[in-house]
Structure formats: structure tokens, C-alpha cells
Amino acid sequence: MGDEINKNEDYNEIVELQGLEPVRKRPGMYIGDTNLHGLHHMIWEIVDNSIDEAMAGFATRVIVTLTKQGTAIVDDDGRGIPVNVQASGLTGIELALCKLHAGGKFGDGAYKISGGLHGVGASVVNGLSKWFKAWVKRDDKVYYMEFDNEDIYHKPHGGHPITPLAVVEKQFEKNTGTMIEFYPDFTIMEKFPWDHAIIAARLKQLAYLNKGLKICLIDEREDTVENWMFEGGLKQYVVDLNQDKDKLTNSVIYGEIEADLKAPDESNRLFKVRCELAFQYNKTYNNSCYSFCNNIHTVDGGTHEEGFKLALVKLFNKFALEKKLAKEQDDKITKDDVLEGLTAIISIKHPNPQYKGQTKGELGNSEIRPFVNEVTSSVLEKFLLENPDEGVTIIKKVIFAKEARIKSQEAREATRRKSPFDSASLPGKLADCSSKNPSISEVYIVEGDSAGGSAKQGRDSFFQAILPLRGKILNVEKAKTDRIFENEEINAMISAIGAGVEPEFDLTKIRYDKIIIMTDADVDGAHIRILLLTFFFRYMRKLIDEGHIYAAVPPLYKVFAGKNVAYAYSDDELELIKQRFKDQKTVIQRYKGLGEMDAEQLWETTMDPTNRVLKRITIDDAVAADQNFSFLMGDDVAPRKDFIAKNAKFVKNIDV
């Protein structure tokens, strides 16, 4: 019977998607998602094409404009998209903007190095736009073409040409370039305004990574213009990343080397690869090591980071012996030791990068590991020979880190659990949930025993665990590693979460899908929250990256209006409630802390999944987040005091 069904299977439902239809059907495959991240990815795809022109040596400036109408414009002075008719019978601009995998990144002639891996960027944006316009300057003319997301039958189509390619202007300046303007299709994309801070951070980063390139952001909505151009490139990047940190030495170790490498296959073909790196040590206990390939941030590292770190370990062990700062029988310096207090940028330009996974998060090219190792060794060895005193200062810090690591190993081991559900190793103050399914379980990290008591009584004990903390935890941005793992409150959190800490942190072992910080809505509560976030950022970063950290939002006011009771989570909401009950006598209670709510109120307002408000903690820009944590929580007090003095006048309600 089964064989007969297979033979007579009806294949009428098999659909062949044409043109840019696959993009509209499955946008997540091309830009990651359709929310805020995916929306901004549309800008990155167009900007990356302009940056590719710059990396090829043909563009000197890129201008991004955010208009009041909600469109984005990207303008460069590169060569301009080809407009001549190709072998397919279509013009180059139609191929680039209407066809997937038809860009200039698939041959040997157009781009030796490209940030775009699949050659689908501009066409994907076209397919996901309500309308899309392109101006091309070349051959002493300005060409124009416009696209819509409907075909002639007004059916959603994506990237449908509504005007033929036409010359709209003759020019005499012999300028070249491409200008793209698009308006996202919000029937597919979620409706968000362009986020100025996200866009500015990425454009500034691109300016660092492409020294000498002028990048401008014009935001017509805010009437602002920002310009970036860094002749110092990565060296300037490291200086700026370390500006709020107490530097160990004044020197930034820098190098840039280009070489011909053999392809890893049997062809023995040679190709050019360039490695640029810059690094400097500071007096903190954390590391800020960022790697890039063709301007793409490889958040999970890869072979370029591995080569860099291996070289540091090898040379610092050698240098320590030569300077008699260590003995042969001593424990060797490890990767963790050389990373403590290190700020580093490693940038690779490669004509054929191989990434692990669709997100380009990890570089996989095997030939890059020995190449970067050799470059790093050459640059660092030269620095140590020419700057022996600074070299000794650095190696002493590395050895100090090694000693602290050895001391902290025993304390760190005490925080590891043999099993994520081994109750014997759970902290005594944890009121655990009865569910053993991490995907539905959540833990509230609660400020104070009073609120913790109410939370324990008010919770749903099947899936909600409560971990009360006493006071403010240690500021891990300033503390030595061994002190961190001796701290009772930190150990309680590590044990409760069950996945260890970096570098051995294992996300698959977390005991709770949601880790919810619940603190008072005042200055002390905000301080406790940032201390907890600093710890998670430095030692359990994947919890934030994967969206497991939340902040509970307790109400600020309770309003009694006759027999009615309402809660307000902001001053604006309070005004709306007052208007609603304006004909009744109202009594307003301002909550000073979670401890003022009984168990029933705490459940109703802050813990009941059907009513509560949770804010998921995300990191849109890890580099900026790193700088902010160092600035706000680090040892250097002077810049922080200056910031407070300049911005105190803008604070409207310090307790909200």
C-alpha cells in the first residue's frame, strides 16, 4: 500500500520560486531575521558593497543618509555598477539588483577581496523593499532605475523594475559612483525606525577597519551629521578602546603584512592575504579581543584568533625565560594568562574566506592560522627587542595573571557542578523549582531577603526558582580573578545557573531558560542590576548573546480608585490611570522597593507570565558594550566623574 501511494504521489504542490521570490518567502535565510537586527542588516548589505569598492581601491568615501521619510540612502564614489548589456541580455545593474548570486563577487576580475560572501546583498535588499531606486555615475552620465515590490498584476513580487535603465543627466566632472535609496517593505519586516546609535557604531567601526576611508552619517530626522576617517586604522581603534582604561604601557603594538599564500587544495594556486593587527595591555583583568575578516566581525573567532593567541603564548614563555622572570620547571604561561588585560584587533583581508555557519561568526580557513601566527610573532618579537623595558612590564603582568589563575583554580572548581540537576551542589539560599526541564524553567535573582521571601511565597514553584542576593555583589570589572571566585553571592549564582564560567562556560548545561534580574526601581536597584550584568557580560557572555538574561520591571505606583486597583509602571502610565478614574477619589502609593509588595502583589505585577513586563537584555554592538562596561565600572574614576558632571542636568527622575 505504501509503495502504491508513493508511485501515485501528486507533485502539483511543488513550486519553483522565481527571481527574488525566495527572499520574500524566507527572509531569515538571507538577513537573519525580520526584526530590528534584520532591518539594519539591509543597510549593511548596501554599505558592504560600497566598502568592497573601497577595499578594491576605487572608492574614497561612503555617505549614509537616514531621511525623514524613513528611507535609507547609501552613496559612494566607486566605479558605479556596470550598466552595459551582459551576455544574459540584461544590463549589469539589473543583474546586480534583481538576480541572486549574480553580483561581481563570483569572478576573478571584480573584487579580489569582498565582505559579501554570497553575492546576494543588493538584490536581497531590493526584494525586501517596498521600493528601491538606483543612480549610477559612469561614462560621463548619470543612469537611473527604479524597482517596486509588485508586478504588473499588483501581486507582491519583490525587485520588479518599473522603469527601464535611463540616462537622466549628463555630467562633465567625470565622477563615478553608485547611490541606492530604499524603503523597507514593512509587510515583511517588522516596523522599527532606523536606530541611529546602531548605525553610527557600525559605520565608525568600518572607518577604523579601512584606514583613510571617509564615512559620513547624515540623520535628517535629528538634523545631525557625523564624519569618521582614521588614518591610524587599527592602531587608533585600540587607542580609543583603551581610552577609559589605565594603560599598562603607552605603546600600541602594531603590524601589517601582506603575503602570497598557497591554496589549501592541490592546485598550488597563490593568492594574496593581508593581516593587520594592533594590541595594547591595560591594568584591568578582562580582555577585549576582536577579530574581523573582510570587515565582518567574527564574533566566535576562528583560525586568525587562534594563530594570534598561539604566538603570544609562545613568545611570552620564551621572553620570560630569557629575562630570567621564569624558570624551566615553572608552570607555563597559557592563553588565559596572555589575554588578561589585553585589548586587541585582528583584521584579515582574504579573497576566499571560509566561514563556519551561515552567520559568518567563525573563520575556518586552515592556512590563516600559521600565517597570523607568523605575523604576530614577527611584530611582537620586534617590539620586545626594541622596547625591552615595556616588554618586562608586560611579561610581569602576564606572570601575575598566571599566578592568580593557579590560585583561583581551586575556587573555580568549587563552582562547577557534576550534574546541572545535582541538588547537593545547589546553594542553600536557592528556592529551586520542581521542573527539571530547563526550557520552561526560570530563576529570579532578587535583591534582598525581604523581596526574596515574598517572591518565594508568590511564585509558581513548578517552573520558577528564586535566588535572593544579599546587598551588592562584587564589581568584577575591578576585582582579581581569585577574589571573584571567593565571593559567596557570585558562587551562588554560578552554582544555581549550572553552566560554569568562561572559558569553560557551557550553554547546554544551563538549568533555566530565563534568568531574570529583579531589583528595586531606584538608584540602588539600578546599581545592583549593572553589577550583575557586568558579571554576566564578562563571565557568562553567551547567556546575553543567546537572549537568556532579562530584567523584571516592577510597578512604580499602585492606584486605589474606589474598589478599583491599578498599577502604573511609569509616570506617563500613572497620568493615564488618573485620567481614567478622574471622577473617583484616588489614593496613590509609590513603591520604594520590592519588599513593600506582598506575595500576591508581587506575583500579580511582576512574576505572572500573563501580566508581567520583562526586558530582554541584548548586545547589538559588543565592542561598544565592552567600552561602556569599562567606562562605567572600571578603575579610572576621572572620566566617569566628568561624564556625570556634564550629564547630570539631563536626569529627570533618578529613581526610575
Side-chain angles (χ1 to χ4, degrees):
M1 184 71 176
D3 291 338
E4 195 169 327
I5 290 174
N6 288 336
K7 289 176 184 176
N8 294 307
E9 183 121 26
D10 187 352
Y11 287 96
N12 289 336
E13 293 188 7
I14 295 178
V15 177
E16 181 181 358
L17 299 176
Q18 301 294 326
L20 297 177
E21 287 181 80
V23 178
R24 296 177 66 81
K25 291 284 187 183
R26 298 286 186 270
M29 291 179 60
Y30 298 90
I31 59 170
D33 55 49
T34 57
N35 59 29
L36 188 68
H37 175 271
L39 182 69
H40 287 82
H41 195 89
M42 294 174 72
I43 291 184
W44 309 150
E45 290 288 2
I46 305 298
V47 168
D48 283 349
N49 288 338
S50 298
I51 297 296
D52 288 343
E53 281 289 287
M55 287 196 294
F58 298 107
T60 63
R61 58 110 179 118
V62 179
I63 302 171
V64 177
T65 304
L66 308 176
T67 71
K68 292 180 180 179
Q69 293 74 35
T71 69
I73 303 172
V74 180
D75 183 11
D76 67 58
D77 62 347
R79 291 167 290 182
I81 301 173
V83 295
N84 56 308
V85 177
Q86 306 292 305
S88 64
L90 298 174
T91 62
I93 192 169
E94 288 175 278
L95 278 174
L97 302 180
C98 296
K99 301 293 183 182
L100 296 175
H101 308 294
K105 301 171 185 179
F106 289 98
D108 291 330
Y111 295 116
K112 298 298 183 186
I113 293 170
S114 168
L117 179 63
H118 303 299
V120 298
S123 57
V124 165
V125 179
N126 191 4
L128 295 174
S129 295
K130 183 174 178 60
W131 53 261
F132 186 101
K133 301 176 181 179
W135 293 261
V136 174
K137 296 179 184 178
R138 57 186 299 156
D139 309 323
D140 303 331
K141 299 179 183 71
V142 179
Y143 298 84
Y144 173 77
M145 195 166 186
E146 187 173 344
F147 306 83
D148 205 310
N149 74 343
E150 293 182 346
D151 61 17
I152 58 175
Y153 303 106
H154 304 291
K155 293 180 180 179
H157 183 277
H160 180 75
I162 60 172
T163 63
L165 181 66
V167 176
V168 294
E169 181 184 339
K170 290 189 177 181
Q171 56 175 4
F172 303 98
E173 301 89 347
K174 297 188 182 299
N175 293 331
T176 60
T178 302
M179 185 169 77
I180 301 291
E181 181 176 14
F182 68 94
Y183 185 79
D185 184 351
F186 289 115
T187 65
I188 296 177
M189 307 301 296
E190 293 183 40
K191 181 78 173 178
F192 291 100
W194 300 117
D195 190 306
H196 180 102
I198 292 174
I199 295 168
R202 174 59 178 158
L203 295 180
K204 184 178 181 181
Q205 185 180 78
L206 287 170
Y208 281 121
L209 293 166
N210 298 273
K211 58 185 175 184
L213 176 64
K214 299 174 185 176
I215 300 182
C216 175
L217 174 60
I218 302 170
D219 195 333
E220 294 179 350
R221 305 166 306 170
E222 302 177 3
D223 196 24
T224 59
V225 178
E226 294 171 89
N227 291 282
W228 300 280
M229 197 270 285
F230 302 106
E231 291 290 357
L234 298 194
K235 197 169 185 178
Q236 184 63 47
Y237 201 177
V238 168
V239 168
D240 290 349
L241 285 174
N242 266 346
Q243 64 181 344
D244 297 318
K245 300 173 183 176
D246 193 0
K247 270 72 73 179
L248 187 68
T249 64
N250 292 323
S251 298
V252 176
I253 305 169
Y254 174 82
E256 182 179 14
I257 294 177
E258 185 175 85
D260 290 320
L261 299 186
K262 279 187 178 182
D265 53 32
E266 296 179 358
S267 66
N268 287 326
R269 178 176 57 89
L270 294 177
F271 57 89
K272 287 194 179 299
V273 177
R274 186 162 70 251
C275 172
E276 184 183 8
L277 52 86
F279 56 103
Q280 183 185 37
Y281 279 90
N282 56 66
K283 296 180 181 179
T284 72
Y285 304 104
N286 304 297
N287 81 83
S288 305
C289 186
Y290 304 105
S291 59
F292 300 83
C293 180
N294 298 353
N295 296 316
I296 295 169
H297 183 196
T298 41
V299 293
D300 298 318
T303 51
H304 47 348
E305 273 197 34
E306 292 167 8
F308 172 74
K309 293 170 184 176
L310 286 170
L312 295 186
V313 171
K314 178 184 69 177
L315 275 182
F316 281 140
N317 271 305
K318 176 185 172 186
F319 190 76
L321 289 174
E322 288 177 353
K323 295 295 180 181
K324 301 190 183 330
L325 298 171
K327 299 176 181 177
E328 284 284 357
Q329 64 269 27
D330 290 348
D331 288 309
K332 297 299 180 186
I333 292 167
T334 68
K335 179 182 67 176
D336 292 337
D337 306 328
V338 301
L339 290 179
E340 187 174 292
L342 176 66
T343 297
I345 306 290
I346 306 108
S347 178
I348 294 295
K349 302 293 171 64
H350 196 298
N352 186 29
Q354 304 295 321
Y355 298 99
K356 296 180 181 178
Q358 289 185 337
T359 59
K360 306 180 187 178
E362 183 178 354
L363 186 66
N365 296 70
S366 59
E367 73 279 4
I368 288 300
R369 188 185 295 103
F371 172 58
V372 176
N373 189 315
E374 185 178 338
V375 172
T376 308
S377 297
S378 173
V379 169
L380 180 55
E381 197 154 29
K382 183 174 182 291
F383 173 82
L384 293 174
L385 287 172
E386 294 176 354
N387 304 273
D389 292 342
E390 286 188 291
V392 168
T393 301
I394 294 171
I395 199 65
K396 283 182 177 179
K397 176 177 174 57
V398 172
I399 291 172
F400 186 78
K402 179 190 74 173
E403 293 169 349
R405 169 179 55 82
I406 294 169
K407 288 180 183 178
S408 68
Q409 278 178 341
E410 186 175 333
R412 189 185 292 259
E413 283 293 330
T415 68
R416 292 199 184 101
R417 298 178 54 193
K418 295 179 181 178
S419 164
F421 295 111
D422 179 6
S423 60
S425 62
L426 290 173
K429 59 175 67 180
L430 174 71
D432 206 2
C433 56
S434 56
S435 171
K436 302 303 180 186
N437 182 355
S439 66
I440 65 169
S441 301
E442 55 190 42
V443 61
Y444 277 82
I445 299 176
V446 185
E447 171 191 352
D449 290 333
S450 176
S454 295
K456 288 176 185 178
Q457 294 174 37
R459 67 180 173 140
D460 184 330
S461 61
F462 174 68
F463 70 98
Q464 291 179 322
I466 307 296
L467 179 64
L469 296 182
R470 187 178 63 246
K472 297 176 181 177
I473 71 162
L474 190 68
N475 180 1
V476 300
E477 193 71 19
K478 295 181 178 181
K480 298 176 184 176
T481 309
D482 51 341
R483 275 198 65 208
I484 292 169
F485 296 108
E486 291 171 357
N487 184 271
E488 182 181 340
E489 306 301 310
I490 287 177
N491 278 335
M493 283 193 298
I494 296 171
S495 297
I497 293 168
V501 291
E502 294 294 353
E504 296 94 1
F505 181 80
D506 185 352
L507 190 63
T508 65
K509 293 182 179 179
I510 59 172
R511 302 180 69 247
Y512 311 98
D513 180 70
K514 289 184 176 68
I515 295 156
I516 304 166
I517 301 169
M518 188 161 70
T519 60
D520 292 341
D522 59 11
V523 175
D524 281 339
H527 189 201
I528 292 170
R529 186 164 60 250
I530 193 63
L531 286 169
L532 289 168
L533 290 176
T534 304
F535 170 73
F536 289 133
F537 182 79
R538 294 301 186 194
Y539 289 92
M540 297 182 177
R541 168 72 181 276
K542 289 186 178 68
L543 287 177
I544 304 178
D545 290 339
E546 299 299 324
H548 293 284
I549 302 292
Y550 296 80
V553 182
L556 295 176
Y557 303 97
K558 183 177 183 180
V559 182
F560 301 89
K563 295 181 179 180
N564 298 303
V565 175
Y567 295 96
Y569 292 81
S570 67
D571 288 336
D572 290 340
E573 194 173 352
L574 176 63
E575 291 304 314
L576 291 174
I577 293 172
K578 288 161 102 177
Q579 286 296 315
R580 192 172 59 185
F581 298 121
K582 62 183 178 181
D583 296 329
Q584 300 182 38
K585 181 181 179 181
T586 58
V587 177
I588 300 171
Q589 177 186 355
R590 170 66 161 93
Y591 286 120
K592 296 179 182 178
L594 296 169
E596 293 185 358
M597 284 187 267
D598 59 29
E600 184 179 351
Q601 291 172 337
L602 198 57
W603 164 256
E604 182 182 345
T605 63
T606 317
M607 301 182 72
D608 182 355
T610 60
N611 296 322
R612 70 187 179 188
V613 178
L614 295 181
K615 290 183 180 178
R616 176 179 275 174
I617 306 299
T618 63
I619 301 175
D620 293 308
D621 185 343
V623 179
D626 191 322
Q627 286 180 285
N628 288 334
F629 275 115
S630 296
F631 173 73
L632 293 170
M633 308 299 290
D635 281 317
D636 198 351
V637 177
R640 193 155 56 245
K641 288 177 67 176
D642 184 55
F643 174 83
I644 293 170
K646 288 179 180 177
N647 292 279
K649 60 185 178 183
F650 300 115
V651 176
K652 293 180 180 178
N653 191 337
I654 201 165
D655 282 337
V656 176

